[in-house]
Amino acid sequence: MRLRDIRPGDRRGLIGFDRDPGSGGTPGGYRHWATHRADVAGAGDDRHLAIETLHGRTLVGSIWLQADPASGRFSYGIGIGAQHRRCGYAGDAVTTLLAFMFEQRGYRECEVSVHGRNFASLALHARLGFHEEGRPRDTELLRGQVRYPVLMAITAGHFAAHHPGFAAAHGPARPWRGRHWRTPRRGRHWRAGHHS
């Protein structure tokens, strides 16, 4: 996969992701279109990026980045279309973004807020090397259920230790490409003797 700037042609896809019943678009949660519809260019390192596959250029999600150069910290929100989940795109996109921001832009720490009931996202961030910073008392009441945010963070040093081969494998020449940019093995639908 790769990260690229949002294009006008992406709007329909982003709206579709938000309208998908499987998106679980809860108030206060990350929404593809809600983030991008303002159509305001980001300042500095603030970016709105599309997540797309390299083979087929399929839009699978989006990621929104907010950075504070003075403090050396940044945060993001990520959304993957329901039909593209569980394919590794979120982890790939986040790892690519972290590598770029830490290694190319010189940031020192990334902080994210994850809904406490979003177990898949909590597990993903833990697997990527994030650690829990705390659970603020600010809660959200939705349909009789209390939801709370979990603050998670990772430093540049921890990222480098947790992903030692990432920079060497991808290098600065492809800062917006993740591990899915080249698949080392053929997929299950590949047929021997089939030539394009």
Side-chain angles (χ1 to χ4, degrees):
M1 55 65 56
R2 73 170 183 151
L3 303 179
R4 60 160 174 79
D5 289 321
I6 295 291
R7 300 172 186 152
D10 296 326
R11 293 179 179 179
R12 174 175 260 171
L14 297 174
I15 292 171
F17 290 156
D18 286 344
R19 289 183 179 161
D20 190 316
S23 69
T26 59
Y30 181 78
R31 303 275 295 187
H32 298 275
W33 180 242
T35 300
H36 302 290
R37 70 179 170 194
D39 221 9
V40 177
D45 284 326
D46 290 0
R47 305 284 298 269
H48 297 229
L49 301 166
I51 303 168
E52 76 172 12
T53 63
L54 281 187
H55 302 290
R57 304 283 191 210
T58 303
L59 179 69
V60 298
S62 62
I63 192 165
W64 171 76
L65 170 68
Q66 186 173 25
D68 180 9
S71 69
R73 293 188 177 101
F74 67 97
S75 62
Y76 63 85
I78 186 169
I80 302 293
Q83 68 271 36
H84 303 295
R85 291 182 190 151
R86 307 287 187 258
C87 296
Y89 295 124
D92 199 10
V94 171
T95 303
T96 301
L97 179 70
L98 292 173
F100 179 76
M101 294 300 285
F102 288 144
E103 298 167 11
Q104 304 296 315
R105 304 298 297 158
Y107 283 85
R108 296 187 304 270
E109 186 174 22
C110 177
E111 300 170 330
V112 295
S113 176
V114 180
H115 278 292
R117 292 176 57 94
N118 190 343
F119 302 119
S121 185
L122 290 171
L124 168 68
H125 284 87
R127 194 167 56 251
L128 293 177
F130 282 77
H131 62 276
E132 187 175 321
E133 293 275 290
R135 299 179 182 224
R137 291 176 181 255
D138 295 336
T139 57
E140 180 181 334
L141 186 62
L142 180 67
R143 296 182 189 154
Q145 297 180 355
V146 174
R147 296 178 180 246
Y148 57 91
V150 177
L151 300 181
M152 303 187 80
I154 188 170
T155 62
H158 194 115
F159 175 79
H162 201 77
H163 303 271
F166 191 84
H170 301 284
R174 292 187 175 93
W176 295 106
R177 288 186 177 179
R179 71 176 187 267
H180 289 99
W181 78 273
R182 181 177 294 152
T183 306
R185 62 177 188 231
R186 293 181 171 107
R188 62 186 171 137
H189 297 293
W190 183 84
R191 286 179 294 157
H194 175 73
H195 301 286
S196 305

